[in-house]
Amino acid sequence: MDKILRINMGADGGPAIKTEPLGDYAGFGGRGLTSAIVSKEVPPLCHPLGEDNKLVIAPGLLSGSTAAMSGRLSVGCKSPLTGGIKEANAGGQPSQMLGRLGYAAIVLEGKPKENTLYKIVINKDGVDIQEANDLCMLGNYDTVDKMKAAYGDKISCISIGQAGEMKLSAASIACTDMELRPTRHAGRGGVGAVMGAKGVKVIVIDEAGMKMREPKDPDKFKAANKEWVAGIRKHPVSGEGLPAYGTNVLTNVINEAGAYPTKNFMWGRFDTCEKISGETQAALEEERGGKGAATHGCHRGCIIRCSGTFMNKDGQYLTKQVEYETMWAHGGNCGIDDIDAIAMMDRLDDDFGLDTIEMGATIAVAMDGGIAEFGDAEAAINLIKEVGKGTPLGRILGSGAAVTGQVFGVERVPVVKKQAMPAYDPRGIMGIGVTYATTPMGADHTSGYAVGANIMGVGGSVDPMTPEGQVELSRNLQITTAAVDSTGMCLFIAFAVMDQPDTFQALVDLINAFTGQSLTAEDLTEQGKSILKMERDFNTRAGFTEKDDRLPEYFKKEALPPHNVTFQVKDEDLDQVFNW
Ligand code: SF4
């Protein structure tokens, strides 16, 4: 991974390809690399859909190696949703394949002068770009099927659906999984709209003929990887809970804690959540004959295997095992407890290329605004179909919760920096509220997952319903996460890393054996800080101030049942998160 592929989509005579060495970006990977390039090369005040924005797609530092769990792909740009810097990452196969082909990043620049769609094919022989107007307004599933027919089933794809082509701010970028299905999404912040603005429908990656990336010290790498795998397997969350029930194991846990946002963040418990819990979902999958939750990774080298397959009532494939965030967004947050309807919404989101969190939050805001009744699953499905069709209503909804709330006159709009909050109410879990408020990304649980220490006693224990200790907790997590997001490691390794010092050391050893460096844990911490600093600096230059690091005011005024608690972390304390 020693080269950057730059494609100027706006060059005279059609897209121009340039491959160059990493140069000043050497040593960066994943989020570190996307944020470094965006921060340095994108004018912070540019229009996110204009020619000056860049879409950066970067495998992690360890992607393409045999390091377990290292297949995460980062996507960065200036976000059309937040107006700030964005990094969204996804699993699936593309990261491992790009790593093996030697690309540290693909940078899409410029903008086609005409309304032309392109496909980019990358293999051992180089890069080929062709017009692909025949793919216009196809969903991700049909697009991938056409690529499979043309290039075989050993490829992986990075693609957009109709939402990305329409440049909607909730548009995602799909990565194909091990079964070559477009189920793993860089979901947040409208990254799909930027790919659409660049005129790129799909990137096809074929790694045939390429070898695994070799570590600098193979013996040390092998030993560290062994320790690493053992550490992940022995932790109860990554070794038992996630493999058995997937991420949806959290439905009952968060509901029990009274922090499960219900009906557009009005309540902290959803009476019928059992119908959509991970336990119910796993039993249903077994009954319908799908691949059970215990057997499915989203990319090669995953040993946690939190994913699975959701079959419909006829035993036919419908979608991947629905993730907790999606089950919540389209479920409890909209008052819906019909698991089949929620799975259908997941399928539609994946096909149209939409962020499931943003869409669920948006539909709940629309319900609050009287567009449909809470609990009406059929209406919710039809609203997503409006987005896919590109009707005026669909385009409003596809622009996200903030726009939808404004259009329909709703006060209760759960967004920070215009990005919708995920599946944890910040009044019941105040540490995650600090992360939502302050991360440069807009409300994002993965930027500093305080839920672990607040609710599960992982990585320490901090009372979720008092303000004490939340700022420090979120700060430390945001720093660690920025570093982990640069390695290509799936964030679900964090439970083992935070609780087991030996496992953390194994990760450091793995990086050192692979790169030939002699990093310490402190060095990784410093890397995390420098990434956050770059991202914050971009946002400042884009016009963000401390006033953007706040939750909507109703979280301070409306008490959340059943614990009747408001968000109590003071503004002046939020302003200390990055004061290290
Ligand atoms: S743990 Fe889950 S999300 Fe992470 S790599 Fe494995 S299947 Fe993908």
Side-chain angles (χ1 to χ4, degrees), residues 84-121:
I85 199 165
K86 172 55 60 184
E87 186 267 355
N89 59 61
Q93 292 283 67
S95 190
Q96 303 280 31
M97 292 197 182
L98 278 175
R100 275 169 216 169
L101 284 158
Y103 294 102
I106 303 170
V107 185
L108 302 180
E109 309 177 337
K111 189 173 180 176
K113 293 189 173 49
E114 283 155 17
N115 210 8
T116 303
L117 262 188
Y118 292 92
K119 69 177 169 187
I120 300 170
V121 181

Side-chain angles (χ1 to χ4, degrees), residues 74 145 176 184 193 293 337 373 379-380 383 386 442 483 496 522 542 564 572:
S74 287
D145 277 350
T176 49
R184 318 307 301 192
D337 61 13
E373 294 291 319
L383 289 176
E386 294 283 321
E522 288 69 36
N564 297 320
E572 54 264 38

Side-chain angles (χ1 to χ4, degrees), residues 324-543:
Y324 166 62
E325 309 294 337
T326 307
M327 195 67 89
W328 158 79
H330 286 309
N333 195 41
C334 294
I336 293 170
D337 61 13
D338 178 340
I339 200 166
D340 284 292
I342 297 166
M344 174 56 79
M345 289 187 248
D346 182 67
R347 166 67 184 238
L348 291 171
D349 285 342
D350 280 0
D351 199 31
F352 297 147
L354 287 164
D355 174 12
T356 59
I357 295 172
E358 194 68 43
M359 283 317 298
T362 298
I363 291 170
V365 167
M367 287 173 161
D368 214 349
I371 302 306
E373 294 291 319
F374 281 110
D376 188 340
E378 194 182 339
I381 289 172
N382 286 332
L383 289 176
I384 299 174
K385 287 181 177 171
E386 294 283 321
V387 183
K389 284 187 273 189
T391 63
L393 172 60
R395 286 171 187 259
I396 291 168
L397 299 170
S399 299
V403 166
T404 299
Q406 196 167 4
V407 169
F408 294 108
V410 180
E411 184 192 350
R412 189 183 296 102
V413 181
V415 299
V416 178
K417 301 180 180 72
K418 296 189 185 155
Q419 181 167 287
M421 285 181 197
Y424 314 87
D425 197 299
R427 291 162 289 192
I429 309 178
M430 290 191 201
I432 204 72
V434 175
T435 298
Y436 289 167
T438 59
T439 165
M441 300 298 153
D444 178 358
H445 62 300
T446 65
S447 293
Y449 193 67
V451 179
N454 276 171
I455 299 295
M456 294 178 257
V458 175
S461 181
V462 178
D463 184 341
M465 280 181 278
T466 64
E468 283 76 36
Q470 311 296 0
V471 164
E472 191 185 4
L473 174 67
S474 176
R475 176 193 299 133
N476 292 338
L477 287 166
Q478 289 196 55
I479 292 168
T480 307
T481 303
V484 169
D485 282 345
S486 302
T487 62
M489 288 290 173
C490 171
L491 202 54
F492 294 143
I493 57 131
F495 302 105
V497 164
M498 287 191 295
D499 273 350
Q500 300 163 185
D502 290 355
T503 310
F504 187 32
Q505 188 56 48
L507 175 60
V508 177
D509 293 345
L510 206 51
I511 295 169
N512 284 337
F514 191 78
T515 61
Q517 294 169 289
S518 310
L519 298 175
T520 61
E522 288 69 36
D523 293 329
L524 284 187
T525 301
E526 288 308 311
Q527 280 183 5
K529 287 180 183 173
S530 73
I531 293 165
L532 287 168
K533 195 159 170 270
M534 281 190 294
E535 294 169 346
R536 296 258 305 164
D537 176 59
F538 182 93
N539 281 359
T540 300
R541 289 183 284 129

Side-chain angles (χ1 to χ4, degrees), residues 141-445:
Y141 274 88
D142 283 345
T143 299
V144 168
D145 277 350
K146 280 185 179 276
M147 296 305 101
K148 196 155 101 177
Y151 301 102
D153 60 4
K154 301 283 187 282
I155 57 167
S156 64
C157 295
I158 301 170
S159 63
I160 55 170
Q162 294 90 334
E165 285 192 56
M166 288 187 274
K167 306 177 198 73
L168 301 178
S169 293
S172 63
I173 292 177
C175 292
T176 49
D177 59 19
M178 302 251 283
E179 287 73 36
L180 201 40
R181 291 170 176 148
T183 61
R184 318 307 301 192
H185 287 240
R188 312 239 59 198
V191 291
V194 179
M195 189 159 156
K198 300 297 175 203
V200 176
K201 179 70 176 176
V202 58
I203 301 172
V204 179
I205 307 157
D206 183 351
E207 62 171 359
M210 300 304 292
K211 290 198 184 119
M212 212 72 90
R213 289 176 66 210
E214 289 294 329
K216 285 269 190 308
D217 188 330
D219 290 338
K220 279 194 184 153
F221 183 79
K222 205 170 160 193
N225 204 20
K226 199 171 163 199
E227 188 75 22
W228 175 236
V229 168
I232 291 167
R233 286 204 168 125
K234 85 174 174 205
H235 193 278
V237 175
S238 50
E240 292 168 29
L242 285 169
Y245 300 114
T247 53
N248 198 18
V249 70
L250 285 167
T251 292
N252 281 335
V253 175
I254 304 302
N255 196 59
E256 183 59 31
Y260 185 87
T262 301
K263 296 187 182 174
N264 194 26
F265 287 74
M266 282 193 259
W267 288 276
R269 282 216 178 112
F270 183 41
D271 288 347
T272 52
C273 86
E274 183 52 43
K275 290 188 184 173
I276 57 172
S277 70
E279 293 81 346
T280 301
Q281 183 172 226
L284 195 66
E285 285 170 4
E286 286 298 322
E287 184 189 312
R288 291 183 180 174
K291 266 191 180 177
T295 59
H296 202 157
C298 74
H299 64 71
R300 282 187 310 230
C302 167
I303 55 162
I304 297 176
R305 296 178 181 159
C306 79
S307 193
T309 307
F310 192 98
M311 302 293 187
N312 66 16
K313 287 174 180 162
D314 300 324
Q316 302 298 312
Y317 170 82
L318 178 63
T319 190
K320 66 185 178 295
Q321 181 185 75
V322 182
E323 305 284 353
Y324 166 62
E325 309 294 337
T326 307
M327 195 67 89
W328 158 79
H330 286 309
N333 195 41
C334 294
I336 293 170
D337 61 13
D338 178 340
I339 200 166
D340 284 292
I342 297 166
M344 174 56 79
M345 289 187 248
D346 182 67
R347 166 67 184 238
L348 291 171
D349 285 342
D350 280 0
D351 199 31
F352 297 147
L354 287 164
D355 174 12
T356 59
I357 295 172
E358 194 68 43
M359 283 317 298
T362 298
I363 291 170
V365 167
M367 287 173 161
D368 214 349
I371 302 306
E373 294 291 319
F374 281 110
D376 188 340
E378 194 182 339
I381 289 172
N382 286 332
L383 289 176
I384 299 174
K385 287 181 177 171
E386 294 283 321
V387 183
K389 284 187 273 189
T391 63
L393 172 60
R395 286 171 187 259
I396 291 168
L397 299 170
S399 299
V403 166
T404 299
Q406 196 167 4
V407 169
F408 294 108
V410 180
E411 184 192 350
R412 189 183 296 102
V413 181
V415 299
V416 178
K417 301 180 180 72
K418 296 189 185 155
Q419 181 167 287
M421 285 181 197
Y424 314 87
D425 197 299
R427 291 162 289 192
I429 309 178
M430 290 191 201
I432 204 72
V434 175
T435 298
Y436 289 167
T438 59
T439 165
M441 300 298 153
D444 178 358
H445 62 300

